[in-house]
Amino acid sequence: MKSFITIIAVLITSFSYSQIGRTYPDGHGKRVFFPYGDISFADEIVSFRVGNPEPIEGFGSKEALGVPDSEVKPYKNFTSLGYGGQLIVKFTDNVLYDIAGPDLLILEIGSKIEPVDAYISKDGKDWISVGKTGGGFSALDIADYVDKTDVFRYVKIVDKGKKSGRWPGADIDAIGAIGSSMNFQLNAAVSFDTGKSTLKEDKSELREIAKKIKELNSLVLIEGYTDNIGSAQSNMQLSKNRADAVKNFLVESAGIASKRIETKALGESNPVADNSTEEGREKNRRVELIVFQNTEMEQKGVVGTWKTAKNGNLRIYKYGDKIAGWYEDDGGEILGKMTDDHTMVGQWVENGSAKKCDSEIYGRKNWGSLVIEFNENFTEFQGKWGYCNEEANKADWSAKKK
Ligand SMILES: [Ca+2]
Ligand SMILES: [Ca+2]
Ligand SMILES: [Ca+2]
């Protein structure tokens, strides 16, 4: 029996600003905060069955992948489903799960939301209906339909829209998991030897991942998978041993608390590639680390909800030394780094400020410099700001922790 597992040979994407929280347009004039940023959006088309009538001018199914990027003039970068059309997409560098509030955004563009029925699945076969968009809501809360610990990689949407027009049916710009994990996959260099569940000598990739997991200070789910060679039972045991080995490393060598890590043996289920080729089987022998959003940190240090003196509530998240925050009311946001224990330096971004800059941040020209000084106990902060690249010397900005 060929019983080794290699960990997916994918380079770890660097822990960049694309993986920290920011807001995105909801297609209807508001903005929605995604705690894990760009990776939250759908990555692959599984299938597309265009409706009837189909769009006169179609842009193809791939336009529904990735971050929101539709343009109104000229209309482009969205997928018209056609009347009754069906689209299935997959998340590969993240999963969807239930967090507090809405979890899944089906970003449909146009003057009013054309409804779709939405379904989610762990394996692309068994589907759970999670309601429909429409009536002013394009974000769905999956809480009533799933267990808290379930993770989902597939989303299916079925158009319930109108028969007429140039683009019949719903026009989908993007599909994103607000309730999104951040997934890490290990390089083959840290894979296991054939038939063994002991980690190889070179653990540099795993050390890197461990560092990021530690920074995020979140709960981690380690999933072990195999190819389909050998009995289902032995593959299940093998995938368990490999997942456990990764967990032991995180606990013993990286100092991550054992209670923060769960392991799951999934054997030969959920293949990501074709098991009939050696190349495909190698991809299917894998361990995935799913890092959930940190909820325990809420209201600790800089993290939490801040009531500002003038602009409503600002919610701040921390990702290692990086900071992202957003206003609950107007879609304004902040982005930056902690330069010492109590100082954040970065930028603010919003839509309606008095001055427009030449350059853009997140596709928006209204931005400026920002410095925030937090007090010793993180109960208050004083902010200074400027427009565009100006020095942050305007000082009428303060907040108290809620
Ligand atoms: Ca993604
Ligand atoms: Ca939810
Ligand atoms: Ca798009």
Side-chain angles (χ1 to χ4, degrees):
M1 182 186 82
K2 189 173 253 181
S3 60
F4 72 93
I5 187 174
T6 50
I7 296 173
I8 285 190
V10 176
L11 288 172
I12 310 163
T13 48
S14 64
F15 184 48
S16 65
Y17 276 113
S18 67
Q19 288 170 308
I20 74 169
R22 51 167 290 203
T23 70
Y24 299 84
D26 76 344
H28 300 273
K30 291 193 178 141
R31 299 187 72 87
V32 185
F33 186 79
F34 281 70
Y36 274 159
D38 292 359
I39 63 161
S40 314
F41 292 87
D43 302 291
E44 279 177 17
I45 300 295
V46 176
S47 68
F48 179 43
R49 193 186 66 210
V50 70
N52 182 21
E54 57 184 81
I56 293 165
E57 187 183 5
F59 300 108
S61 57
K62 284 206 163 69
E63 302 297 343
L65 297 178
V67 300
D69 63 351
S70 68
E71 288 172 29
V72 176
K73 278 178 188 172
Y75 280 100
K76 62 177 181 184
N77 299 345
F78 58 85
T79 301
S80 288
L81 296 182
Y83 181 67
Q86 175 188 292
L87 177 68
I88 299 177
V89 296
K90 187 180 180 189
F91 299 111
T92 59
D93 58 6
N94 63 305
V95 299
L96 165 72
Y97 73 104
D98 178 36
I99 59 167
D103 311 297
L104 175 65
L105 179 73
I106 315 279
L107 204 165
E108 207 272 324
I109 65 155
S111 55
K112 61 178 176 181
I113 297 173
E114 291 172 288
V116 296
D117 283 330
Y119 306 82
I120 59 176
S121 172
K122 294 176 186 179
D123 57 7
K125 293 178 194 126
D126 296 326
W127 294 94
I128 299 169
S129 170
V130 292
K132 67 171 185 148
T133 61
F137 296 104
S138 50
L140 298 169
D141 190 340
I142 63 173
D144 289 347
Y145 311 101
V146 305
D147 284 337
K148 223 32 188 175
T149 53
D150 288 345
V151 301
F152 300 90
R153 288 182 166 84
Y154 296 86
V155 175
K156 174 166 78 179
I157 56 174
V158 182
D159 172 69
K160 293 277 154 190
K162 293 182 297 183
K163 275 185 177 169
S164 61
R166 193 168 182 81
W167 299 285
D171 304 307
I172 307 298
D173 177 2
I175 297 171
I178 304 166
S180 176
S181 69
M182 186 186 296
N183 290 12
F184 293 106
Q185 298 172 333
L186 304 180
N187 190 286
V190 291
S191 65
F192 301 91
D193 282 324
T194 305
K196 300 230 169 101
S197 55
T198 312
L199 284 163
K200 276 184 176 177
E201 201 55 39
D202 180 0
K203 303 182 181 68
S204 51
E205 297 285 5
L206 190 49
R207 269 185 236 287
E208 273 299 300
I209 292 172
K211 200 176 132 203
K212 284 158 192 161
I213 290 172
K214 217 168 171 181
E215 280 180 355
L216 291 163
N217 197 27
S218 303
L219 299 176
V220 183
L221 172 64
I222 301 172
E223 292 185 336
Y225 293 98
T226 66
D227 60 25
N228 70 344
I229 307 292
S231 76
Q233 201 188 355
S234 64
N235 281 335
M236 197 57 90
Q237 186 60 49
L238 190 61
S239 67
K240 182 183 188 313
N241 293 350
R242 265 68 188 264
D244 286 346
V246 172
K247 174 175 175 170
N248 289 341
F249 177 83
L250 294 181
V251 173
E252 285 159 22
S253 300
I256 295 169
S258 172
K259 64 174 184 191
R260 295 191 163 277
I261 307 170
E262 296 230 351
T263 58
K264 205 170 190 177
L266 287 151
E268 55 195 62
S269 67
N270 306 344
V272 292
D274 184 358
N275 264 319
S276 68
T277 68
E278 176 49 38
E279 200 190 348
R281 287 196 294 275
E282 194 172 300
K283 284 185 178 154
N284 289 332
R285 298 189 288 262
R286 66 197 193 275
V287 169
E288 296 195 24
L289 294 94
I290 297 171
V291 183
F292 296 105
Q293 292 166 29
N294 188 325
T295 49
E296 288 173 41
M297 271 196 338
E298 196 72 25
Q299 303 300 333
K300 239 167 128 185
V302 304
V303 179
T305 305
W306 295 82
K307 188 173 168 38
T308 66
K310 290 182 181 170
N311 306 95
N313 289 336
L314 173 68
R315 295 188 64 177
I316 297 183
Y317 290 70
K318 194 162 181 281
Y319 307 79
D321 64 348
K322 297 190 181 79
I323 297 290
W326 62 292
Y327 280 99
E328 287 175 350
D329 300 334
D330 69 358
E333 57 200 294
I334 64 169
L335 164 81
K337 264 189 156 181
M338 295 303 285
T339 53
D340 64 42
D341 286 352
H342 292 87
T343 309
M344 178 206 147
V345 176
Q347 285 91 32
W348 54 268
V349 187
E350 62 151 77
N351 288 329
S353 66
K355 204 183 268 186
K356 279 193 175 178
C357 311
D358 293 334
S359 58
E360 294 183 348
I361 291 181
Y362 294 159
R364 293 193 273 174
K365 291 195 165 178
N366 300 86
W367 61 270
S369 54
L370 174 70
V371 177
I372 294 179
E373 297 283 352
F374 296 89
N375 70 350
E376 188 62 28
N377 302 320
F378 294 100
T379 54
E380 291 179 22
F381 74 62
Q382 296 287 333
K384 288 185 184 177
W385 58 279
Y387 287 113
C388 309
N389 286 317
E390 281 175 13
E391 190 191 340
N393 57 8
K394 299 174 180 42
D396 59 336
W397 195 40
S398 65
K400 287 189 161 72
K401 192 73 162 283
K402 273 193 85 176

